[in-house]
Amino acid sequence: MKQDVKSKIATHQAGLRPATRPVELVGMDEEELVSLCGQMGEPPYRGRQIFSWLYAHGVSEFSQMTNIPKGFRAKLGEAARLEALELDRESKSADGTEKYVWRLRDGARVESVRIPMRNVNGVMRWSLCISTQVGCAMGCAFCLTAKMGFIRQLTAGEIVGQFLAARRLLARGERFHNVVFMGMGEPLDNFGATVKAVRILTHPRANGVSAKRLTVSTVGIVSRLRDFVSAVPGVGLAVSLHAADDETRGKLVPVNRKWNLRALIDECRELPVGERRRITFEYVMLRGVNDSKRDAKELSKLLEGLKCKVNLMPWNPFPGTPFERPGDERVEEFRRILLAAGLVATTRTAKGVDILAACGQLADSSRLDGPGGLKQLNPL
Ligand code: SAH
């Protein structure tokens, strides 16, 4: 990255040929900004000022960087760019959830969802769900994003950019209380960009979100879990479990054929998540597939003694799949079995289902051409 920036600036300054692709500022960390300023003949504190303009203030134009001298602003404006995504479409659910479709520089689209959540005192707070890839390569059977296949990785700038752009759409005085990496894509399959984005968002001077209010959800890429937890200590980790036996999980989550439940759970038991943190295990509930009393008992056994929390997520529907959502009573019965076994278990209320903004319902409709007329599916 640094080399890349250096050579672009050098080419630009030497006037050999116009820089074809300006440097993307959003997604650079403080060190990179300091070094970029150094290469442009500016002192290190300029880099720190730019860091603050980008992330704490979230400016969208160079002219807003009022403590940067005009001359340098102009130079920066020639060599670098600010925003990597623009709002393509937005839709609003009856429950207050909003979905944003962003268009990236190459025309690809990704989605973020802002979700109103009430805390125990009934106070409304916003959560933001962001994407880490265009599409996804994991192929989970019950997930709409999987139907798109994998298109490309997002850069750290495109991940952080979703937060910055969504924050600009908040009303004055509002902020995002929680940020979850639960949109399109598998974060640990885009390791470097995800780690960088998390570090920027949780940087004390970025005015983003605290580590304890940021959660990354992974399908469970066992070989990267430990490195991830060490790279961003204190950040919440959610692991998509979805079944308590290898046969069922292998059908639902293909990655289970590479790392089976034993490998996954053994690794989770060893993860240095910190004293006060619990791993969240997500469990999508599919009627007749993984929602029986026996499944609940097997799950309790599998997680015995592990400091964790189970989050039951009744499946959010989309057409063209054989899956069905179980009834509320079945979900509650399942949850009671887990509680009786001493586990912490909650049920996630789906938000934004009517605008296909709930978990596993995010996809670029133009990339869906599977059976069942999926192309027509997106209500946008
Ligand atoms: N790749 C990450 C993030 C995926 S989205 C992961 O696998 O964890 C966040 C959660 O929603 C995951 O647990 C995912 O399995 C779940 N999910 C996917 N499709 C769903 C659907 N249609 N209904 C409910 N949950 C779904």
Side-chain angles (χ1 to χ4, degrees), residues 136 140 142-144 181-183 185-187 217-219 238 240 242 282 284 313-318 348 359-361:
C136 186
C140 298
F142 50 84
C143 176
L144 184 59
F181 283 41
M182 293 188 186
E186 166 50 39
S217 174
T218 172
V219 72
S240 294
H242 306 328
E282 295 161 292
V284 65
M313 314 187 301
W315 182 67
N316 297 315
F318 55 87
R348 186 181 299 176
C359 277
Q361 290 188 312

Side-chain angles (χ1 to χ4, degrees), residues 53-247:
W53 284 119
L54 291 180
Y55 306 117
H57 300 276
V59 298
S60 53
E61 284 170 31
F62 288 102
S63 62
Q64 293 169 294
M65 300 184 174
T66 47
N67 61 359
I68 310 282
K70 268 200 181 141
F72 182 49
R73 260 191 257 159
K75 232 165 103 184
L76 208 53
E78 277 170 34
R81 301 199 273 200
L82 278 177
E83 282 183 283
L85 41 80
E86 61 181 57
L87 185 62
D88 187 43
R89 280 179 260 179
E90 64 177 296
S91 47
K92 198 168 174 158
S93 157
D95 65 25
T97 299
E98 287 186 25
K99 178 162 89 170
Y100 305 119
V101 181
W102 311 109
R103 209 162 62 88
L104 309 175
R105 292 210 199 281
D106 63 353
R109 288 180 174 80
V110 283
E111 303 182 355
S112 315
V113 182
R114 102 177 184 191
I115 309 148
M117 305 279 228
R118 297 215 172 270
N119 72 4
V120 280
N121 303 317
V123 179
M124 205 283 288
R125 299 193 186 281
W126 289 113
S127 284
L128 182 70
C129 174
I130 56 183
S131 299
T132 53
Q133 297 179 320
V134 185
C136 186
M138 298 300 116
C140 298
F142 50 84
C143 176
L144 184 59
T145 309
K147 310 280 177 223
M148 282 174 71
F150 175 73
I151 316 281
R152 74 162 170 90
Q153 303 285 16
L154 292 184
T155 63
E158 289 166 333
I159 301 173
V160 174
Q162 294 169 62
F163 173 87
L164 299 177
R167 188 173 61 180
R168 269 182 229 127
L169 298 171
L170 287 171
R172 187 177 274 273
E174 289 185 337
R175 63 189 189 89
F176 288 117
H177 201 74
N178 295 290
V179 175
V180 295
F181 283 41
M182 293 188 186
M184 295 157 96
E186 166 50 39
L188 299 198
D189 190 33
N190 188 8
F191 192 92
T194 296
V195 166
K196 196 169 178 204
V198 168
R199 285 185 175 153
I200 291 173
L201 285 174
T202 58
H203 190 287
R205 275 180 287 106
N207 197 18
V209 68
S210 70
K212 62 175 192 282
R213 300 210 171 277
L214 190 150
T215 300
V216 173
S217 174
T218 172
V219 72
I221 298 186
V222 172
S223 59
R224 306 212 177 125
L225 282 172
R226 182 174 292 267
D227 286 346
F228 185 73
V229 169
S230 316
V232 287
V235 161
L237 182 70
V239 176
S240 294
L241 200 55
H242 306 328
D245 66 274
D246 280 319
E247 200 193 331

